[in-house]
Amino acid sequence: MGLTVNVLDDLDTHNLHAAAQAAMQENNAIALIELLEMLWSCDVEGANAVIDAVLLRLQQLRAQR
């Protein structure tokens, strides 16, 4: 839940770079999927940039398996 809270805080302050960077540094695929689900279903300004980062990070983690 920490990732989601941090990203929402960053989005609230319009810090899209920090929100995307937090997603790119996450190693927990479940946390990323939960964040993706929340961002996908909510109308949060700036969410698309973070969704892109989450999807990219999930691809990276999958490639490492």
Side-chain angles (χ1 to χ4, degrees):
M1 194 62 139
L3 173 65
T4 299
V5 171
N6 291 341
V7 167
L8 287 176
D9 285 345
D10 290 336
L11 289 174
D12 188 47
T13 60
H14 304 288
N15 193 346
L16 299 180
H17 178 73
Q21 192 65 25
M24 291 300 296
Q25 292 176 349
E26 182 61 53
N27 290 317
N28 184 337
I30 294 171
L32 288 165
I33 291 167
E34 289 175 352
L35 176 61
L36 178 63
E37 181 182 20
M38 190 276 309
L39 292 173
W40 196 276
S41 62
C42 297
D43 186 25
V44 178
E45 186 177 337
N48 285 342
V50 181
I51 288 172
D52 291 344
V54 169
L55 291 172
L56 178 61
R57 185 61 182 148
L58 285 169
Q59 286 178 326
Q60 291 173 347
L61 291 173
R62 183 171 183 251
Q64 292 176 1
R65 293 191 75 175

